[in-house]
Amino acid sequence: MVSAAEILNASILVVDDQEADVSLLGRMLRGAGYTSIASTMDPHDVCELHRKNRYDLILLDLQMPGMDGFQVMEGLKDTEKDAYLPVLVITAQPGHKLRALQAGAKDFISKPFDLAEVLMRVHNMLEVRLLHEAACNHGKILESLALKDSLTGLANRRLLADRMSMALAHARRNKSTMAVVYLDLDGFKQINNTLGHGAGDVLLKMVAGRLVATVREEDTVARLGGDE
């Protein structure tokens, strides 16, 4: 679940060519407790600002001179690897709402602004956005756990097998050689028995760090289990 504090601390960018609208939306959001609000009146700046700051929500006016909101959304797609645009469009034209949703916007608010509607749509969109990010991060963690040794951070047996297969295929294709070094730590069981498993874990992490620092970037260091 996403907490109220996380929603209120989320980063928001307001994009509108009308200074009065930017000011009004800023006052509405700050009055509701939102703490991280930025704005721009130049639509050409939006993509670069988002690339640098990764806003949780962009309130985007559709009708702006020089570059409209639809063009901005096309540019934003290049900055979002998962194609999720955190865009809440602002429009005074009801006919533009469906086109905006088809272009990637997640919701819309109408001009003139209704305070309750603005705050509800902003809250709902931020909640969905933060849940989406949490789900993506959870997936990355699960993927990492599936391929990495939880103690040392080295590749585990599964990832090593994959890397070995690729290295063998590469060696066959290029008629080159590859090397595999297998080692374990002498006396490691005695360390666990006399000093405890905590000391053994510290030793394993220390050895892992030294091995990683010794090999080349393209090489793989893996832990198969125990002190292997």
Side-chain angles (χ1 to χ4, degrees):
M1 293 296 294
V2 179
S3 69
E6 288 175 305
I7 292 175
L8 292 176
N9 290 326
S11 58
I12 302 172
L13 176 66
V14 178
V15 185
D16 199 306
D17 65 309
Q18 299 296 319
E19 186 175 359
D21 289 339
V22 172
S23 177
L24 177 58
L25 286 169
R27 289 199 304 271
M28 285 181 174
L29 294 170
R30 291 185 182 90
Y34 291 96
T35 61
S36 182
I37 305 166
S39 65
T40 180
M41 296 174 62
D42 187 347
H44 296 89
D45 292 341
V46 176
C47 293
E48 185 59 27
L49 285 170
H50 184 53
R51 191 175 289 108
K52 289 180 179 178
N53 300 289
R54 310 307 301 176
Y55 297 104
D56 296 305
L57 176 63
I58 300 173
L59 276 72
L60 177 65
D61 187 24
L62 285 181
Q63 293 180 294
M64 294 177 288
M67 184 178 190
D68 63 26
F70 295 104
Q71 293 171 303
V72 172
M73 283 191 283
E74 280 303 309
L76 286 171
K77 289 177 182 178
D78 294 332
T79 70
E80 293 290 338
K81 293 181 180 179
D82 60 359
Y84 185 101
L85 297 185
V87 173
L88 177 60
V89 297
I90 304 167
T91 179
Q93 302 294 328
H96 287 167
K97 294 176 180 178
L98 179 58
R99 182 186 169 196
L101 295 173
Q102 292 171 335
K106 294 296 177 283
D107 202 354
F108 55 83
I109 54 178
S110 302
K111 290 182 179 181
F113 300 126
D114 177 270
L115 175 61
E117 179 190 10
V118 170
L119 295 181
M120 181 56 67
R121 292 186 186 275
V122 166
H123 178 279
N124 289 347
M125 259 207 68
L126 282 172
E127 185 173 35
V128 171
R129 171 62 166 173
L130 295 175
L131 285 171
H132 174 79
E133 288 185 344
C136 289
N137 291 336
H138 183 63
K140 291 175 183 176
I141 291 172
L142 291 178
E143 182 180 0
S144 178
L145 290 174
L147 299 175
K148 296 291 184 71
D149 173 59
S150 59
L151 175 64
T152 62
L154 300 178
N156 63 13
R157 186 183 296 269
R158 176 183 170 187
L159 181 55
L160 176 64
D162 184 59
R163 296 276 178 86
M164 288 274 287
S165 297
M166 289 191 293
L168 286 166
H170 179 79
R172 291 192 192 100
R173 184 171 62 249
N174 295 287
K175 297 186 169 130
S176 60
T177 59
M178 58 169 288
V180 179
V181 178
Y182 178 89
L183 59 89
D184 60 15
L185 304 182
D186 290 344
F188 182 73
K189 184 177 180 181
Q190 184 178 356
I191 291 173
N192 276 338
N193 290 338
T194 57
L195 301 178
H197 288 278
D201 288 349
V202 170
L203 178 60
L204 287 173
K205 287 190 282 188
M206 184 184 301
V207 171
R210 290 183 179 182
L211 290 173
V212 170
T214 300
V215 302
R216 301 166 301 178
E217 187 175 355
E218 66 264 29
D219 295 332
T220 295
V221 182
R223 181 186 179 210
L224 303 183
D227 63 337
E228 301 175 331

